[in-house]
Amino acid sequence: MLSTLMIAASLSLAFPEVPVGPVKPPEEEVTEEQAQEVQDQLETEQAARDQAALEQAEKERAARSGGQVDRSGDRFSDDQRDWGYEDEKKKKSYDRFQLRALATTILPMRARDGSTGGEFLIGVRGELDVRRLSFLFSWDQGGVTPLSLSEPLADTSYWNGLLGASVWATKHSRVRVLGGMSALSTSREARFGPSIGTTVRLGVPVVSIEGAVIYTPVGFQQVDARGELVLRLLIFEARGGYRARWVDTSRSADRPVVEPTGGPTVSLGLIF
């Protein structure tokens, strides 16, 4: 028995103890440079996430406030977004309110035999646009000649009052479709008739061209057409072109004396 214990003790001294259970690998030592690299990578990823969230918030704010975003999804620069926002505001300001007041005249053309082709006219014209609603009023007084001091004006007046809509409009261009009433009056009588008309203006900030026509089919017959070159500086406006008017009052028993009128037209006025 004693010999058996001595043999077991000698064997335990001769062989190392073998651990039982899972063996953990030895831990590797992490250097300071490796730890700094991991920290930098984490900070870079967090900064990228923050930047993406900021850009998404800016895109949503730009969409709500009228800013512009390019097709790739990246927001334009602040200057580009601000310019686009201001341009959109200016683009939409044209149809809120616009008032135009003009003094007009038609100079009759003189023929080779010395006679004049039609009567001399002076008048006023007003145009009002409130959003898409448009109103046009004009009054013309007939005359003998602009050089006559003894009898500068005749007894005949022409009136047009039309209301309608701007079917197409930008800041410097507008197309109106109008309807209303026209009248021809003297000291003896007045004739009324329904009228339809249209005006077309195409232009840029300073220069534009405009054409208009008014037609009265019954009551008395009238065609009033004009084409003008328009120059605008701030609130001042000057126009020059050609205007032709044809009036038929043959259905009236005591009809006013009316001549077809055509000649150069000049207008000066203000626009607000």
Side-chain angles (χ1 to χ4, degrees):
M1 183 66 179
L2 181 60
S3 62
T4 302
L5 294 176
M6 293 180 63
I7 293 172
S10 63
L11 290 176
S12 63
L13 293 175
F15 298 96
E17 183 178 358
V18 178
V20 179
V23 180
K24 295 182 179 180
E27 297 182 358
E28 297 180 1
E29 183 179 0
V30 179
T31 64
E32 184 177 352
E33 294 180 357
Q34 292 175 336
Q36 185 63 37
E37 289 179 359
V38 172
Q39 183 66 25
D40 292 343
Q41 183 177 1
L42 294 176
E43 291 178 355
T44 301
E45 293 176 354
Q46 184 63 36
R49 288 192 293 269
D50 294 342
Q51 181 65 25
L54 179 61
E55 291 179 355
Q56 182 63 29
E58 289 291 333
K59 292 176 185 177
E60 295 175 356
R61 187 180 67 178
R64 290 193 300 268
S65 61
Q68 299 181 3
V69 179
D70 64 7
R71 294 181 178 178
S72 64
D74 294 331
R75 190 174 63 88
F76 285 152
S77 66
D78 291 339
D79 291 341
Q80 290 173 317
R81 181 178 62 80
D82 293 341
W83 175 87
Y85 179 61
E86 292 298 327
D87 183 68
E88 186 68 18
K89 288 173 60 179
K90 293 178 181 179
K91 181 180 179 181
K92 292 186 176 181
S93 66
Y94 67 86
D95 61 352
R96 294 178 181 174
F97 178 85
Q98 191 173 83
L99 174 64
R100 179 179 285 104
L102 299 167
T104 65
T105 183
I106 298 180
L107 303 176
M109 300 180 67
R110 185 173 296 276
R112 293 183 179 180
D113 59 1
S115 62
T116 58
E119 60 182 343
F120 165 62
L121 290 180
I122 62 171
V124 294
R125 184 167 73 248
E127 301 177 5
L128 175 63
D129 295 290
V130 181
R131 296 190 181 275
R132 297 285 176 167
L133 183 65
S134 300
F135 175 74
L136 186 147
F137 170 81
S138 66
W139 167 82
D140 294 292
Q141 181 74 40
V144 179
T145 170
L147 302 179
S148 174
L149 300 179
S150 61
E151 192 179 2
L153 297 178
D155 192 28
T156 308
S157 297
Y158 309 93
W159 309 80
N160 294 297
L162 304 175
L163 181 68
S166 297
V167 296
W168 179 71
T170 65
K171 185 174 177 59
H172 304 290
S173 302
R174 187 180 293 271
V175 177
R176 302 187 187 101
V177 176
L178 307 165
M181 294 291 294
S182 296
L184 186 152
S185 64
T186 68
S187 59
R188 301 182 302 275
E189 71 162 355
R191 301 297 300 264
F192 298 89
S195 296
I196 58 175
T198 183
T199 68
V200 179
R201 183 171 70 247
L202 303 173
V204 292
V206 179
V207 181
S208 59
I209 57 174
E210 181 170 308
V213 62
I214 297 174
Y215 174 57
T216 307
V218 295
F220 68 97
Q221 292 185 331
Q222 170 189 237
V223 177
D224 186 352
R226 58 183 169 86
E228 298 171 307
L229 176 67
V230 183
L231 301 178
R232 179 182 175 184
L233 180 62
L234 300 177
I235 64 171
F236 302 100
E237 187 171 279
R239 297 172 173 234
Y242 188 88
R243 182 180 176 188
R245 297 185 70 256
W246 177 80
V247 178
D248 181 10
T249 59
S250 59
R251 299 180 182 180
S252 173
D254 185 18
R255 65 176 182 267
V257 178
V258 177
E259 296 183 40
T261 300
T265 178
V266 178
S267 303
L268 298 174
L270 302 174
I271 180 172
F272 303 98

